[in-house]
Amino acid sequence: WMRRMLLLVNVALLAHVLAQAVDEGAGLEIAQYWIALTCFMSQASLLWNLVRRPRTTAPRLSVQCLGIFAVCHVFRLLGASRWPMDVMDFHFPSVNAILAVLVFGLAVWQRQSIHGGKDDPDADPAAKLSGEPFGAELVRRLQGPGLAAACQRQTIGVLWSFVEHSVLPLLALFIGLLIELALGLGRGESRWPAWVSSWHQSLETLALLPQLRALLALRTEGDGCKGSVLAVPPDLTYWLVCMAVGHFFACITAVADGLAPASGHHAWVFAAGEGLNAAVLGELLAAHFRAKWLGKKNLILP
């Protein structure tokens, strides 16, 4: 009952924060605080797990996901983001950028050291899939026998790998351009052109897709029976749950800001991006709240 009481208290506090955001028109600032804080907590926990348990943590992490997060955090420091996340003088952007780069570099190095830079034929499907870029399957369908043979050459193989890794960033660019053309958001607090800021937001929004694909691959391991459940690896649980909770709270806080009379498109666009991330991790988020309510420690997805 104590866990349930604490959960209800947290819900009450969140309702109070939302009411304050509507009254004061500070929803976007509070939403940025949610994201900055939970990003720090999730990246710090992931770095700790990579140091303590590299052989179980690194193979399950999507390299592309971590790389995109690192790039987005670095470019936020360079002024590319419409929302700098620099709230309450905590210097979260700098700290989060350092953590993201360390996590990405350490994960890549550990994956290389574990398998010697080669694909392990005995690796589980999630470990194999986490090393591949999102959309690679679609690109490989365009490969004919001649191109597949040519890709065995190092130079052409590197170029083809670049093409595979470009699918998700190009999709984010397309979405960002559509948003900018439709809404004309402008640069906001960014020092870069408006289309770059929209691209940055779209790329950050889609960054979790490669990790979600690798996570769901665990469900089909073993017998792959229909209706089987998925136990989220403990090394990834805190990282993913922190991000899911942060995106969810940021979404509803930005929606509260969007309901304010003086609000414009910015709050709704921010809410849409965070809402998409919350939806991507929605099953995980629901399982987390269910586990908290029932007092369970393991996170099980149906």
Side-chain angles (χ1 to χ4, degrees), residues 24-40:
E24 300 179 2
L28 273 181
E29 287 76 11
I30 298 175
Q32 292 181 60
Y33 172 76
W34 285 124
I35 294 298
L37 177 61
T38 54
C39 179
F40 167 75

Side-chain angles (χ1 to χ4, degrees), residues 45-59:
S45 70
L46 191 56
L47 182 62
W48 177 248
N49 284 330
L50 281 170
V51 172
R52 290 181 59 204
R53 296 184 291 268
R55 290 190 170 273
T56 58
T57 303

